[in-house]
Amino acid sequence: MNLENAKAQMRKGVLEFCILSILSRGDAYASDIIKKLKESELIVVEGTLYPLLSRQKNAGLLSYRWEESPQGPPRKYYALTDKGKEFLKELSSSWSELMDAVNSINNK
Amino acid sequence: MKKTLTINLAGLVFNIDEDAYYCLQDYLGKIKTYFSEEKEVNDIMHDIETRIAELLGEKITPTKQVVTLQDIEEIIKIMGEPHEFGDPDKEKKSTYYRTSTKRVYRDPDNRILGGVCGGLGAYMGVDPIIMRIIFIVIFFGFGAGLLIYLILWIIIPEAKTTAQKLEMRGEYVNVSNIGGFVREEFENLKNSFKGKKKS
């Protein structure tokens, strides 16, 4: 059991949750998502995000559409699918259950 | 004066210095290898290239039209090296690989005769000098040391490639590791040149 791996596993689960949560407040393209994740110091390098987005899209949680941008290449806007919304709801409730459980154990 | 190349990155055209081009090519290659087992590797690569194109676009102004090596280095810092992506499932695989690939080679960089003691030392994680002392003791004590040495010299292959040298040390073989190893070798070479110049 090594600490780095345990931390990485934790962060990965939370990251997936947060990406869905960001998208639930409105469609966004990768750079918007990155900005928010960086502000809350959840990711250090941007490369972390792309494989996660691609996996969530494959799992049918996200969909995307192309939009022209005023400058630069066209942007991929991601949106939650119905399945994604359902998934997020489940994650939210299990997240608060987990938080309660961890807190109750830590405070004993 | 520098030679520049023209590249198409996610549909945008950039003029890029030659050294910056090789740096970017090397970086994208590393990422592609990292994601090579992923189903959607092309999709991921395209997303990453789009983001790099966007970041590069911010660096281009009417008075600075060419992408420089410094630009690319800054972008790599933002995007991160593959090992910084923090994918725990991939880390697991690499440690599994590490334990399974340690092999005995003769070490051509650490040799007096055939590199047998150097290689055995690297394999067992002891200083080659200790291995040499053991062989000399066996030679004088039992007389068989030389014969054993010659047999080992014949049957142990020499570590010729960088991958083999990493295997000899028990480090796992991946692109970033080989890159680091080659850089190390290059530094050694440079230092030995400098040393010769002085003397």
Side-chain angles (χ1 to χ4, degrees), chain A residues 1-51:
Chain A
M1 193 71 199
N2 80 47
L3 179 64
E4 276 316 305
N5 194 272
K7 274 201 227 164
Q9 291 281 10
M10 253 190 203
R11 209 178 299 125
K12 192 180 167 197
V14 174
L15 251 180
E16 286 178 8
F17 176 32
C18 287
I19 293 170
L20 295 177
S21 172
I22 289 170
L23 287 173
S24 73
R25 270 176 270 136
D27 302 355
Y29 85 112
S31 305
D32 292 335
I33 306 176
I34 285 169
K35 224 167 107 194
K36 287 192 182 124
L37 292 175
K38 270 193 170 167
E39 275 165 13
S40 50
E41 292 180 6
L42 260 175
I43 59 169
V44 183
V45 294
E46 297 192 0
T48 312
L49 180 69
Y50 296 98

Side-chain angles (χ1 to χ4, degrees), chain A residues 23-88:
Chain A
L23 287 173
S24 73
R25 270 176 270 136
D27 302 355
Y29 85 112
S31 305
D32 292 335
I33 306 176
I34 285 169
K35 224 167 107 194
K36 287 192 182 124
L37 292 175
K38 270 193 170 167
E39 275 165 13
S40 50
E41 292 180 6
L42 260 175
I43 59 169
V44 183
V45 294
E46 297 192 0
T48 312
L49 180 69
Y50 296 98
L52 292 179
L53 283 176
S54 151
R55 268 175 232 153
Q56 290 186 330
K57 192 198 75 202
N58 280 345
L61 305 178
L62 307 181
S63 62
Y64 68 86
R65 63 175 191 279
W66 290 101
E67 261 181 38
E68 292 298 322
S69 97
Q71 78 259 27
R75 292 168 174 181
K76 229 179 192 178
Y77 270 80
Y78 288 91
L80 279 187
T81 60
D82 290 338
K83 194 176 167 194
K85 283 176 194 154
E86 202 55 41
F87 201 84
L88 177 62

